[in-house]
Amino acid sequence: MRKFALLCMILLLAGSMVFAQGAQEGGKDFIGLAMPETHVERWQMDGAALKAAAEELGYTAEVAYGDADQTKQNAQISDFITKGADLLIIGSVNEGVVTAVADARTDGVEVIAYDRLITGSDQYDYYITFDNFKVGQFQGAAIVKALDLANATKADPKYITLFAGSPTDNNAFFFFDGALSELRPFVEKGVLKIVGPAPLVSSDTANFTRIATENWRADLAKQRMENLLNGDAKNYKLDAVLAPNDTLARAIIEALLTDAKYMNDLPVVTGQDGELASIQFIKDGKQAMTVFKDTRDLAKAAIKLADAILKGEEPQISGARLDTETYDTGKKVVKSYLLEPVNVTKDNYVEIMIDSGYYKADQIR
Ligand code: BGC
C-alpha cells in the first residue's frame, strides 16, 4: 500500500512537472501586447481587438498600456519576457523602446512593431500599420476641396494654420508630409497662406518642432491654438486648421469656439481615427472629416502575421500591401504591411462607422 502511495506521488509529481513545462513551451504560445497609451481612444480598441484575435487563434495574450511613458512600457515588456512571451506586438511610445526590443531579441522573442515604426533599431523584422502617408493625403485633400483652392486667388487667399502629432512618433512625419503633398502646390501659388510656423516638409525640423504636439497631448494642442488666436492668427480669419488626429482636432475646436470670430463659423478642421466624439462633431458640422483606420482589421492582420512568424511560415496578410522600401528605422528597412485608411465625412460616416458595426447608431445623437 505504501508502495502504491509512493508511486502515486511520483506520478503526480512527474505529471505536474510535465504540465509546468507544457505551459511554458508545449502549451499555448503567449503573445504580449504592449500598447502606448489610453488617452487616445483607439489604443483601447486596439488592445481589446488584438487580445480577442490572438485568443481566437488559440494563443494566450495579455495587454498592457504604457500611459505614454516609455520607461513604464519597457517595464511591461520586460515583464512579458519574464513571463515567457513567445512574441511581442508593440505600439511604442518613443525610441526609448529600443533597449526592450534588444532584450527581446537576446531572449529569442520576436517583435512586431504595431502601427508605429520602432526607429533606431535593427533588432526586429516586421512592422504592420496603415498607409500613413495616405492618411495625411486625405487630410490635405479634404482642405483643398473644402476651401476650393483650385479656384482661390492670390488677391483673396485662404488662411491655414498647421498642427502636427508627436515628434517622438514616426507616424507624425508621414501624416504631415502626406497632407503637405496636397497643400504645398497652393502655398507655392500664393493662394494658401500659412499663419504661424510654416514647415512645408517634416524634415524642416526647426519649424516642424514648433507645430508638433508632444505625446499627442490634447492640452498642449489647445493651449497652442489659444496662443495662436491671441498671437500670429489674431489679425486673420482662419479658413482651415490641419489637425493630425481627432483627439487634437477636438481640443483645437474647443479653443476656436471660445473666440467670437469662430463661434458660429469654424474653420475646416481635419482629424484621424474615427473617434466617437469626432463622429459626433462631424455630424454636428464642427469637424470636417476624419480618417478611419479600422483597428479591428489592423489587430486581426497583426495576429495573422504573428501566427505566421511563430509557425515559421511566409506571412500572407490579405488586405495589406507589403512594402519593403519605405520604412527605414535608421538602422535597417523593415518589412512592412500597410492597410488602407478610409476618408470619413458627413456624407459617409453612417456607412463607414455604423453600418460596419464599429459604433452603434444610438451612440451618436
Ligand atoms: C496613430 C494615430 C493616433 C496617434 C496618437 C499615431 O501613432 O497612428 O492613430 O491618433 O498615434 O495616439
Side-chain angles (χ1 to χ4, degrees):
M1 196 61 202
R2 222 190 260 159
K3 256 190 193 157
F4 179 69
L6 195 68
L7 189 70
C8 282
M9 262 178 68
I10 289 169
L11 281 175
L12 255 163
L13 201 69
S16 68
M17 274 169 73
V18 168
F19 179 77
Q21 198 184 3
Q24 262 178 3
E25 286 168 17
K28 285 183 184 176
D29 277 349
F30 173 42
I31 302 181
L33 308 164
M35 298 292 106
E37 62 213 22
T38 52
H39 75 275
V40 173
E41 187 179 282
R42 65 158 288 184
W43 299 108
Q44 302 188 43
M45 308 268 222
D46 287 274
L50 280 163
K51 189 168 187 308
E55 285 168 357
E56 203 173 306
L57 287 194
Y59 291 97
T60 305
E62 207 180 293
V63 196
Y65 295 96
D67 295 333
D69 174 349
Q70 193 60 60
T71 308
K72 181 167 183 177
Q73 188 181 57
N74 284 1
Q76 291 169 336
I77 292 171
S78 142
D79 190 41
F80 283 146
I81 297 173
T82 309
K83 282 181 179 161
D86 299 286
L87 184 142
L88 299 167
I89 294 181
I90 304 177
S92 57
V93 177
N94 61 46
E95 201 175 294
V97 75
V98 296
T99 49
V101 173
D103 289 348
R105 171 123 309 172
T106 308
D107 282 27
V109 182
E110 289 283 354
V111 167
I112 298 174
Y114 182 82
D115 193 78
R116 297 176 173 173
L117 184 73
I118 295 170
T119 53
S121 172
D122 56 4
Q123 304 288 298
Y124 71 104
D125 299 315
Y126 300 94
Y127 176 39
I128 190 155
T129 188
F130 283 87
D131 185 335
N132 296 310
F133 191 81
K134 198 163 192 179
V135 170
Q137 283 179 307
F138 280 144
Q139 295 169 338
I143 292 172
V144 170
K145 188 168 168 216
L147 269 45
D148 192 17
L149 290 178
N151 294 307
T153 61
K154 263 173 116 164
D156 185 19
K158 303 287 184 186
Y159 294 96
I160 187 171
T161 198
L162 307 174
F163 281 73
S166 183
T168 56
D169 178 349
N170 188 62
N171 287 344
F173 307 110
F174 277 80
F175 301 147
F176 184 77
D177 288 328
L180 266 287
S181 72
E182 300 289 329
L183 298 172
R184 195 181 313 122
F186 300 100
V187 176
E188 282 164 357
K189 257 173 54 188
V191 301
L192 180 65
K193 302 270 187 208
I194 299 173
V195 177
L200 295 182
V201 283
S202 63
S203 56
D204 173 0
T205 309
N207 282 309
F208 185 80
T209 308
R210 296 170 70 198
I211 65 156
T213 315
E214 195 72 27
N215 275 338
W216 297 92
R217 274 173 52 192
D219 59 325
L220 295 180
K222 185 172 178 217
Q223 194 181 70
R224 182 166 170 255
M225 189 69 240
E226 284 166 358
N227 292 345
L228 281 159
L229 291 171
N230 297 317
D232 287 342
K234 199 175 172 76
N235 300 317
Y236 296 97
K237 174 87 195 326
L238 294 171
D239 299 290
V241 178
L242 175 69
N245 79 351
D246 288 347
T247 304
L248 303 189
R250 292 195 307 278
I252 290 164
I253 291 168
E254 228 180 276
L256 287 162
L257 285 173
T258 62
D259 187 315
K261 258 194 288 187
Y262 300 109
M263 245 169 229
N264 297 305
D265 187 15
L266 281 164
V268 169
V269 182
T270 57
Q272 166 180 201
D273 288 336
E275 286 188 0
L276 186 58
S278 281
I279 298 301
Q280 185 70 54
F281 268 33
I282 289 172
K283 185 183 178 204
D284 297 343
K286 289 183 183 165
Q287 189 176 318
M289 57 86 72
T290 185
V291 182
F292 180 49
K293 304 187 297 185
D294 197 327
T295 48
R296 297 170 301 187
D297 292 346
L298 186 62
K300 269 202 193 113
I303 295 300
K304 246 185 150 183
L305 179 58
D307 188 48
I309 296 168
L310 288 170
K311 289 182 174 150
E313 293 166 358
E314 187 55 37
Q316 302 290 341
I317 315 298
S318 61
R321 177 163 56 84
L322 178 63
D323 180 329
T324 52
E325 287 166 14
T326 312
Y327 287 93
D328 190 344
T329 72
K331 298 238 165 142
K332 82 184 229 184
V333 176
V334 278
K335 214 176 192 183
S336 306
Y337 295 86
L338 308 186
L339 276 71
E340 282 297 306
V342 182
N343 191 43
V344 176
T345 63
K346 211 171 189 159
D347 295 335
N348 69 353
Y349 80 88
V350 173
E351 180 197 335
I352 308 294
M353 306 301 306
I354 297 169
D355 295 350
S356 76
Y358 204 73
Y359 296 128
K360 294 198 185 73
D362 64 7
Q363 287 179 283
I364 293 155
R365 291 185 308 275

